[in-house]
Amino acid sequence: MTEPESLRTAHTFELLPADLAGIRALMDTAFESGFTDEDWDHGLGGVHAFVRAPDGAFLAHGSVIQRRVLYEGRSYRVGYVESVAVRPDRHRQGLGGRVMAALERVIDGAYDLGALSASDAGERLYRARRWHQWQGTIEALTPDGVVRLPEEEGSAYLRSAAGRPLPGPSGALIFDWREGDVL
């Protein structure tokens, strides 16, 4: 009988260098080398959820980190989902859902709401898990002031954390600044 694939959660500081290297390799494979060093940095410093095969290979991963989002004069503590990927040969087997369920438990317990930026490939998973596409504008609080990011509009999804109300459904979400892609 084969050992089941294990799901684990851990904060970045709990992961060994070999774990981080394995997760980064999964990201590079899943995103066909389109995963940048800035993308990698964005997924660190929070809670990781991952599925490993019995041989230790990383099959799926996602992380949730804290960000601040302003909406109508209020600052929200947001659990922002990053670095979600499933090994290409394991797509559509429920691994992404297992990872997201673990991350959503973290969001429910620690944040005002969840947010993420969905790729075209990921939209189906997030919609099925009751994430809602943001219909308003996306902006960032940059070193030069608030800047609208029209190229990011349509990719942002929000999720209520533990039944709290979502902002909106329209207006501007103003995200904290970071290097690379803001969302």
Side-chain angles (χ1 to χ4, degrees):
M1 183 172 186
T2 321
E3 219 179 295
E5 296 157 343
S6 65
L7 172 74
R8 182 174 163 218
T9 59
H11 194 279
T12 301
F13 86 89
E14 297 174 296
L15 298 173
L16 299 172
D19 296 328
L20 292 170
I23 293 166
R24 176 61 195 256
L26 171 63
M27 296 295 110
D28 289 337
T29 297
F31 290 99
E32 299 175 351
S33 300
F35 194 80
T36 68
D37 289 343
E38 288 166 335
D39 295 331
W40 175 242
D41 186 60
H42 293 169
L44 300 176
V47 176
H48 301 257
F50 49 91
V51 177
R52 294 180 89 159
D55 68 1
F58 285 88
L59 303 176
H61 173 271
S63 62
V64 62
I65 54 108
Q66 181 173 309
R67 295 196 63 188
R68 284 287 177 177
V69 173
L70 302 174
Y71 177 74
E72 292 189 346
R74 177 168 179 224
S75 176
Y76 290 86
R77 189 179 62 255
V78 173
Y80 197 83
V81 175
E82 290 281 3
S83 304
V84 176
V86 175
R87 201 168 79 182
D89 65 335
R90 297 300 304 268
H91 283 186
R92 308 285 180 243
Q93 296 178 16
L95 298 177
R98 289 178 63 195
V99 164
M100 286 303 298
L103 298 178
E104 289 162 359
R105 282 192 299 278
V106 173
I107 291 167
D108 286 349
Y111 298 101
D112 296 324
L113 62 121
L116 59 81
S117 178
S119 65
D120 292 341
E123 271 186 5
R124 185 172 140 191
L125 171 65
Y126 305 126
R127 286 182 190 271
R129 300 195 61 77
R130 290 186 242 130
W131 286 75
H132 303 280
Q133 186 178 31
W134 179 251
Q135 300 300 313
T137 61
I138 299 294
E139 300 176 357
L141 184 57
T142 75
D144 297 321
V146 176
V147 174
R148 186 168 175 193
L149 304 171
E151 68 279 4
E152 300 290 356
E153 292 168 7
S155 69
Y157 282 74
L158 301 180
R159 179 182 180 277
S160 173
R164 295 177 190 95
L166 287 173
S170 61
L173 290 180
I174 305 171
F175 283 82
D176 55 353
W177 179 249
R178 63 186 187 175
E179 298 297 325
D181 294 332
V182 174
L183 287 193

